[in-house]
Amino acid sequence: MSRSRLLPGLVTAAPALALAFAVHTLVPALPAMTVAVALGLLVANLPGTAVWIAGRARPGLDFAGKHFMRAGIVLLGLKVSIQDILGLGWLAMLLICGVVLLSFGGTYLLVRLFRLPRDTALLVATGFSICGASAIGAMAAVRRIKHADTVLPVALVTLCGTLAIGLLPLLMQPLRLDPLTFGAWTGASVHDVGQVVATAQTAGTAALGLAVVVKLTRVLLLAPVVAIAGLHHRANSSGQQSLPPVVPLFVLGFVGMVVLRSTGWLSEAWLDTDAGFQDIFLGAALFGLGSAVRVRTLLHTGARALTAALAAWLLIALLGLAAALLMTA
């Protein structure tokens, strides 16, 4: 695709991304990634901007939604340190793996129970159980699911993650959770890394630290889950001329970044720079995905999907709470 076709959409994403970061700076409880999705949805449905977004800007926004997402996933690996994860202990790691497996399977069955397509169920289950929109992008690549079919799952995972930011802190006192248990619960059940930070920081630094490590343990499971999905897809696609790789290159890049971070060779300055670039790539990608959502279509087709997503959100919250209580007992 020529640069001239991509430029209008990429230029459109730049001020939206700056605004998302500005809103996050003013209201830290709102993750910039969540704001980016909301801004994309807004400009796609306002009469004054909808024509531009659906027309000249569309190629560049679709490019951002696909390729910038992959770049962001690679850089996400630099957040994950194997030493930090091992520091949780074997019981905690087994509990986190159990939450991911049960929430993945349970979410898939719930979404299928509401008679939604298999691809939608797979993407929602991946996003809810592992790491939000990043996991959805990785699974879509290995299963060769069309970019347009990722829009609804991304919208659902963003909505439910935002719900967690507002609701989970309100439940801390009624459930009589200490900060560490609340942090473990947040890390085990909230979808996106930014949403985990926004939720856990309400209980203090100890809760936030544990929440991030628990969450990044879930993130580390992205590679094996995607690899298993790729193997399953290849086993059931033997008649096709062209098969997708078992693990996409950008997921291998993610694994490589995890290994690099775990060596301890990178300074804090490098890691801070990586975090900035990761936010830029993922923010632009999520703005692009949000801009593909049409509220009229979402209201017409999304009622069952929203009900299924809320049921899955409740399931994961309960599984995460059980794991957190066992982890910190």
Side-chain angles (χ1 to χ4, degrees):
M1 189 177 294
S2 66
R3 292 180 183 178
S4 59
R5 289 197 65 201
L6 298 178
L7 193 59
L10 297 179
V11 169
T12 301
L17 193 57
L19 180 58
F21 289 136
V23 170
H24 172 63
T25 301
L26 293 172
V27 188
L30 287 176
M33 303 303 104
T34 299
V35 178
V37 175
L39 289 174
L41 193 149
L42 183 65
V43 298
N45 292 278
L46 286 176
T49 55
V51 174
W52 170 260
I53 293 297
R56 289 195 64 192
R58 192 72 258 150
L61 292 173
D62 286 343
F63 179 89
K66 180 178 180 180
H67 296 286
F68 285 8
M69 175 66 76
R70 296 181 177 188
I73 292 170
V74 172
L75 295 178
L76 180 61
L78 287 178
K79 289 185 179 293
V80 184
S81 168
I82 295 174
Q83 290 89 338
D84 288 343
I85 291 170
L86 291 176
L88 289 172
W90 289 106
L91 175 60
M93 289 190 288
L94 287 173
L95 287 169
I96 295 165
C97 291
V99 168
V100 170
L101 291 174
L102 290 173
S103 59
F104 184 98
T107 299
Y108 183 87
L109 292 175
L110 279 169
V111 177
R112 290 294 291 153
L113 186 65
F114 281 84
R115 301 190 305 279
L116 293 165
R118 292 181 186 276
D119 285 348
T120 299
L122 180 63
L123 294 180
V124 171
T126 306
F128 274 48
S129 62
I130 302 178
C131 57
S134 302
I136 290 171
M139 184 61 76
V142 77
R143 297 297 294 242
R144 289 199 171 165
I145 297 172
K146 291 186 293 185
H147 175 69
D149 293 335
T150 67
V151 170
L152 178 60
V154 167
L156 293 174
V157 80
T158 302
L159 176 63
C160 289
T162 304
L163 177 65
I165 295 171
L167 187 57
L168 263 60
L170 298 179
L171 297 175
M172 183 177 173
Q173 291 303 324
L175 293 174
R176 298 182 180 180
L177 302 178
D178 60 66
L180 285 179
T181 305
F182 180 76
W185 182 29
T186 300
S189 57
V190 179
H191 312 319
D192 179 78
V193 176
Q195 295 163 348
V196 167
V197 172
T199 307
Q201 68 185 359
T202 61
T205 55
L208 177 59
L210 182 57
V212 169
V213 176
V214 171
K215 175 59 187 176
L216 293 178
T217 305
R218 289 168 62 198
V219 172
L220 189 61
L221 295 173
L222 175 64
V225 169
V226 167
I228 291 168
L231 287 169
H232 179 268
H233 188 52
R234 290 175 71 89
N236 290 277
S237 307
S238 55
Q240 293 185 7
Q241 292 286 335
S242 175
L243 293 174
V246 173
V247 180
L249 284 176
F250 67 91
V251 176
L252 292 177
F254 164 82
V255 174
M257 291 296 125
V258 172
V259 173
L260 180 59
R261 167 65 189 268
S262 301
T263 63
W265 294 342
L266 298 178
S267 67
E268 287 299 320
W270 272 103
L271 295 176
D272 288 343
T273 301
D274 159 70
F277 278 110
Q278 185 211 335
D279 286 346
I280 290 170
F281 282 128
L282 288 182
L286 290 172
F287 176 76
L289 289 171
S291 71
V293 178
R294 299 295 178 269
V295 170
R296 188 179 304 171
T297 304
L298 190 62
L299 291 175
H300 180 67
T301 63
R304 283 182 290 120
L306 178 58
T307 306
L310 290 173
W313 180 84
L314 179 60
L315 170 67
I316 295 170
L318 292 173
L319 289 171
L321 179 59
L325 291 170
L326 290 171
M327 262 187 261
T328 57

